[in-house]
């Protein structure tokens, strides 16, 4: 009987810890990387404000040459949308839609990874020196479901290591695309 009370107390304590822990875990995940590009903000903005050239600098474009891409809405600015479908898990399937477009300074993109969740990408462009400083940010918010929030928090702790290097490669490619002389 004493063991049963102790076991019940332990289960109750673990349940309370699970609920309280889920409520105090970080409310969001943020990752960002920056690069200096020797081009004026207007030129950088023109590339980021449309998905037409996205695969020229995307760190994921080369992972699946068989991936399918489609475009909807306007060619640039708010409402421009790109969908992708891939059989490779590292590319997956999803869509991205430009939500906000502030000329020469910011592009905010809604990312929809289907069953893997949603997030927001923000490209911020600041004039500086002989060009622009571009910051690529990623923000996700965990679910209100406590189990998903626990899993999201652990995943969030790894997120910088998971996508940070991809962002660095993508920004390096963006820099190369913009700084290379036209073909």
């Amino acid at each position: 009987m004493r063991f049963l009370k102790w076991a019940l107390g332990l289960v109750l304590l673990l349940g309370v810890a699970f609920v309280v822990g889920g409520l105090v875990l970080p409310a969001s995940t943020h990752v960002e990387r920056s690069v200096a590009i020797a081009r004026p903000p207007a030129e950088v903005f023109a590339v980021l404000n449309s998905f037409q050239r996205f695969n020229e600098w995307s760190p994921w474009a080369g992972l699946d040459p068989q991936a399918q891409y489609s475009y909807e809405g306007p060619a640039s600015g708010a409402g421009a949308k790109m969908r992708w479908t891939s059989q490779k898990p590292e590319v997956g399937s999803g869509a991205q839609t430009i939500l906000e477009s502030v000329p020469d300074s910011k592009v905010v993109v809604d990312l929809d990874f289907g069953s893997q969740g949603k997030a927001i990408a923000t490209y911020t462009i600041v004039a500086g020196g002989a060009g622009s400083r571009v910051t690529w940010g990623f923000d996700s918010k965990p679910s209100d479901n406590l189990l998903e929030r626990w899993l999201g928090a652990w995943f969030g702790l790894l997120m910088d290591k998971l996508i940070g290097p991809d962002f660095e490669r993508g920004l390096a490619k963006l820099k190369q695309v913009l700084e290379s002389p036209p073909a």
Side-chain angles (χ1 to χ4, degrees):
M1 188 64 147
R2 190 181 263 187
F3 174 76
L4 187 59
K5 284 183 179 180
W6 180 83
L8 185 60
L10 181 61
V11 168
L12 183 62
L13 180 64
L14 289 173
V16 168
F18 176 78
V19 170
V20 171
L23 294 173
V24 298
L25 286 170
S28 63
T29 299
H30 179 76
V31 176
E32 75 175 36
R33 295 294 191 273
S34 296
V35 68
I37 298 177
R39 289 291 182 261
E43 288 183 32
V44 176
F45 178 78
V47 172
L48 296 176
N49 193 44
S50 170
F51 297 120
Q52 302 303 314
R53 296 184 68 188
F54 182 76
N55 285 336
E56 288 180 45
W57 61 271
S58 166
W60 306 288
L63 296 177
D64 183 5
Q66 304 302 314
Q68 301 293 311
Y69 299 92
S70 63
Y71 304 91
E72 301 171 20
S76 63
K81 185 173 195 169
M82 182 180 96
R83 292 183 186 276
W84 71 92
T85 304
S86 170
Q87 299 303 312
K88 293 193 174 190
E90 60 271 22
V91 177
S93 297
Q96 56 181 340
T97 307
I98 296 177
L99 297 176
E100 181 183 355
S101 176
V102 180
D104 305 340
S105 64
K106 182 167 74 169
V107 178
V108 179
V109 178
D110 176 64
L111 302 169
D112 184 349
F113 301 108
S115 63
Q116 294 182 350
K118 293 187 174 199
I120 297 290
T122 304
Y123 303 100
T124 306
I125 308 159
V126 177
S132 305
R133 181 128 196 104
V134 179
T135 301
W136 184 0
F138 175 91
D139 293 282
S140 67
K141 182 176 183 239
S143 167
D144 290 333
N145 174 306
L146 290 178
L147 179 58
E148 289 179 15
R149 193 164 174 145
W150 271 97
L151 294 173
W154 283 107
F155 188 66
L157 293 173
L158 300 172
M159 188 66 75
D160 191 74
K161 288 183 179 12
L162 291 172
I163 66 171
D166 290 340
F167 279 24
E168 290 166 10
R169 276 192 312 281
L171 288 170
K173 287 173 85 175
L174 178 65
K175 177 181 177 73
Q176 181 182 17
V177 164
L178 284 162
E179 291 181 354
S180 294

